[in-house]
Amino acid sequence: MIHRRHHVHCILETGRTWPHRTVGGRSQLILGSLCLLIAATTPLQAQPAKVPLTEKIVKNAIEKGQQFLVQQQGENGAWSDADHVVGKTSLALMTLINCGMTLDDEPVQKALKYLRDPRREPSMTYELSLQIMALAAVKDGSRDTPKILSLSTKLAKQQIKNGPGAGGWSYNFTEGARGGSSGDRSNAQFAVLGLREAQYANVAVDREVWELIRQYWTNDQCADGGWNYNGSGPNSSGSTGSMTVAGITTQVIVESMLRDEPDENADGSPNCCGQSEQNESLDRGVKWLERSFDVGHNPGGGGGGALYYLYGLERAGRLSGRRFFGAHDWYREGADFLIRMQSPRDGSWRGQGHGEADEVVSTSFALLFLSKGLAPVLINKLQYDSEGADEKNDQCWNRHRHDIRNLTDLITGLPGWPKLVTWQQLDMRVVAQRGGLEDLMLSPVLYISGDKAPRFSPAEINLLRQYAINGGFILGVATCTKTDFDRGFRDIVKQMYPDGESQLKRLTAEHPVFRSEYLIDPESTELWGVDVGCRTSIMYSPHDLACLWNKWSIVEPPRRSPQMKAMITKSTRVGINVVAYATGREPPSSIADHQLVNVAAANDELERGFLQVAKLRHTGGWDAAPNAVRNLLVALNSYAGVTANTKVKNITPVDESLKNYPLVYMHGRNAFNFNKQEQDRLKTQINRGAMLFADACCASPQFDKSFRDLMLQMFPDHKLTRIPANHELYTTKVAHDLRDVRRREPNGGEPGKPFKPTTVVGEPVLEGIEIDGRYVVIYSKYDLSCALERQASAACAGYLSEDAVKIAVNVVMYSILR
């Protein structure tokens, strides 16, 4: 029960007073040095200078802030020597883990030792919740399960069961509170976050607890659609940003825990055609935030709680799958604001004014926003217009509201994947009007589903085509009654490729998607695909996989049949396999820079005064990665002192114009051969000083054998040998330091076994033919080209995209310098 006899002025949200508690005959501030996690941080004064936001800048800010936190850690592993040490230490530990530290790092080990001490079990809501969140974030097997169980049990008992605050929490441990305390939404938010992490750590939380949470947040929402701190009573305040993002987050979490729709039809088949469920409370909260959005201060909060609000904003945006609130890119705007506010002296963040927040807490809030918001956006779920639909109420694109959210939840934390991946909704009309291809490229997978035929304008069709050319992957899934969507999706492919050069074909058992993560039966799993460049860039399921993704839940609904569980498992595994194939388990960060290619602008005109590159035609899939060289030359142009012509000439070895090119490039996926005349003409150009640069797409053994045979025929007196690791080609004397590049090896990729790719780190495996102290041929038996197109899959043996660019730049620079 909250004691209301003693108060001090700690201005939070809208200037309310906050209670003391009495412990051992003395009065203490409930929030102590933390104040606790809603301490007032008045609007920070922005510095006037502004630089473009890049991934490098964000990571640099994270590193500086992380160093600050480590420096503040005490010898005993804790942060702070005042009250609420467990809460503050848990928050800092959780932050370090999200910034990239692991169990192998000393600060993590020290903090864990402190928190695992049996004496460290607090009674206050904030600290209980944060300790659960920190221990769950560590993911140290089942070692912390007993303590998480103890903490979450205590936290669940502390929930207010009756009265005006039923379903909420207050500060103190008030087991089964029945009245006299309505609690507050800030404590309630942290309780929900702690119980969610307990549930994901395989510690069950009673369904009744989640039902009360839903009641608390749904029934007591403000009339304007937002949420405030203390409910809708006569003494309540107006909606604030920090409490509205808490409400949005809580609504999403509760949706994932309570699945109420019926699973099966009378015949035992999945119920996939029911009315798409809506969450009006969530939608109203999102609209409030769109109207009130700001990053410089806590909207409606009377000037306080800026960093606490941003910490909640990241969570609301990420969990609800929204990159934009209204016209605002919440991550870019928030990150830009925070980076300009970071202390250049020590890397910390600090609130200002009355009730200034503790700098460890403030820094933790800022770092959690930056690090979690930087997580890869794995899938864009596309909102689009459809044929014959009422545009005001058309939700066919979102018939299964939780499908992609659930799929990304399942992928997060899988071995070999990033520790956190996210998703987002993307409106095609907004994309076409504002961001275009750049917005589509925010994610490597574009998901299109529905039960009606999609309707895209010619400009939008061109965007889809450009997305695939630039390495994007399109996944289509027909939902419910599939006839109209099936017709519409097939028509999209025809519009994207009107010449018929790329067509939907059913994938055969040999396709790597059936073993990219799990072993999937290709006979009972109908997938169609379109090959674009190095890989299948469009996949389509005519069966409603999304219905079963939508039904997955971390909490099994009551009375779910074993048959339904088996169907859900199979369907989600198919989805994970498709995404693993599409991304190679290496999706880019949420603000990764993409060098985009517009193929419509390319032509074959020769321009003097630039580095010229010719691409050799042959019979072994000479254009498997059509934009690889162009992407390389775009990257080369960003390298200081080099200007390259990005208009690549495609020619045969006997073309008279071959003599104009000092660098000749070739790649492929299949066997090929050059006749004697072609060999002689190519060798003549090399003897004149040109260099041949080649690679085998996805380590194709057929191309590799043909290339080696060709070199033996052209240069019988010189062998193709490994370029030594200490050669200057791998050093900054040429361009980049290549001592630690990353190469993917899809071990176990043979039919009948799943792919289990490993990453090898070291110098590149390049071979060459050296004549008179100069390499005239440089060859990679591992893939570079598909990586340059960002189209490498889990089955593709070769270099990661970032490192492939560095290797290729070094090769080109070597050809110039030598």
Side-chain angles (χ1 to χ4, degrees), residues 122-171:
S123 62
M124 296 185 69
T125 299
Y126 282 118
E127 292 194 289
L128 282 168
S129 304
L130 283 166
Q131 192 172 13
I132 294 171
M133 294 159 68
L135 294 176
V138 171
K139 298 185 185 301
D140 190 11
S142 59
R143 174 171 179 177
D144 293 307
T145 301
K147 191 165 185 86
I148 293 174
L149 173 61
S150 174
L151 294 168
S152 61
T153 300
K154 195 173 186 178
L155 185 61
K157 288 181 178 179
Q158 186 167 325
Q159 185 184 38
I160 300 169
K161 304 302 181 183
N162 295 288
W169 276 261
S170 63
Y171 290 98

Side-chain angles (χ1 to χ4, degrees), residues 372-688:
K372 287 192 170 186
L374 198 62
V377 179
L378 193 63
I379 304 173
N380 275 333
K381 183 174 184 177
L382 195 65
Q383 178 178 349
Y384 59 87
D385 293 334
S386 55
E387 293 181 2
D390 177 358
E391 292 190 10
K392 292 183 179 179
N393 300 306
D394 182 19
Q395 288 285 311
C396 81
W397 66 274
N398 200 28
R399 173 170 286 280
H400 302 312
R401 186 180 179 120
H402 314 296
D403 49 4
I404 298 305
R405 183 185 71 198
N406 289 346
L407 198 59
T408 53
D409 267 1
L410 276 165
I411 289 172
T412 289
L414 284 178
W417 291 83
K419 65 180 181 181
L420 178 64
V421 293
T422 65
W423 68 287
Q424 63 188 20
Q425 297 175 8
L426 204 61
D427 189 330
M428 190 59 162
R429 288 170 294 185
V430 175
V431 169
Q433 292 169 4
R434 60 172 300 279
L437 184 56
E438 289 82 359
D439 279 354
L440 291 181
M441 294 304 300
L442 290 172
S443 169
V445 179
L446 183 67
Y447 173 68
I448 306 174
S449 70
D451 55 3
K452 298 174 183 175
R455 183 175 59 199
F456 295 119
S457 69
E460 291 169 343
I461 290 291
N462 183 58
L463 278 176
L464 295 178
R465 178 179 170 87
Q466 295 296 330
Y467 176 70
I469 287 171
N470 280 274
F473 179 91
I474 298 173
L475 171 60
V477 175
T479 63
C480 189
T481 53
K482 64 181 183 181
T483 305
D484 290 341
F485 183 88
D486 185 86
R487 170 180 55 81
F489 192 83
R490 293 177 185 276
D491 189 55
I492 290 171
V493 174
K494 291 178 182 177
Q495 293 179 64
M496 290 173 65
Y497 305 103
D499 297 333
E501 69 269 31
S502 299
Q503 299 179 3
L504 269 174
K505 298 178 182 178
R506 180 160 182 179
L507 304 183
T508 61
E510 292 75 27
H511 198 286
V513 73
F514 295 111
R515 55 188 191 279
S516 56
E517 182 81 27
Y518 303 100
L519 286 179
I520 303 296
D521 176 25
E523 293 299 320
S524 61
T525 305
E526 184 178 353
L527 291 174
W528 293 63
V530 177
D531 290 337
V532 180
C534 291
R535 62 171 185 170
T536 303
S537 291
I538 301 175
M539 281 192 192
Y540 170 58
S541 170
H543 302 291
D544 195 352
L545 298 172
C547 168
L548 294 163
W549 301 345
N550 190 69
K551 291 181 181 297
W552 177 84
S553 176
I554 191 69
V555 181
E556 286 287 356
R559 300 177 298 280
R560 173 165 283 174
S561 71
Q563 294 81 3
M564 180 59 63
K565 293 178 184 178
M567 285 189 283
I568 291 171
T569 297
K570 178 183 177 181
S571 179
T572 53
R573 288 188 171 187
V574 172
I576 293 170
N577 272 35
V578 170
V579 178
Y581 173 82
T583 65
R585 301 182 183 84
E586 296 154 3
S589 80
S590 64
I591 58 169
D593 181 39
H594 296 283
Q595 297 286 348
L596 302 178
V597 174
N598 184 354
V599 295
N603 61 60
D604 290 333
E605 295 178 4
L606 186 68
E607 293 187 1
R608 303 294 177 185
F610 296 88
L611 169 66
Q612 307 289 339
V613 177
K615 183 175 176 181
L616 285 184
R617 293 175 178 266
H618 56 81
T619 58
W622 70 273
D623 205 27
N627 297 298
V629 183
R630 184 179 175 87
N631 288 353
L632 164 60
L633 295 175
V634 169
L636 196 67
N637 282 332
S638 67
Y639 190 78
V642 177
T643 304
N645 179 8
T646 58
K647 298 173 183 177
V648 181
K649 181 74 172 180
N650 302 320
I651 61 177
T652 66
V654 295
D655 193 307
E656 287 296 329
S657 66
L658 181 64
K659 64 179 181 293
N660 297 318
Y661 294 93
L663 181 62
V664 182
Y665 167 82
M666 67 182 295
H667 70 243
R669 300 190 67 171
N670 305 308
F672 70 94
N673 62 76
F674 286 159
N675 60 36
K676 185 65 166 59
Q677 181 187 13
E678 291 171 325
Q679 292 180 27
D680 289 346
R681 295 289 287 276
L682 180 56
K683 184 174 181 179
T684 296
Q685 180 63 5
I686 291 173
N687 288 337
R688 288 174 176 168

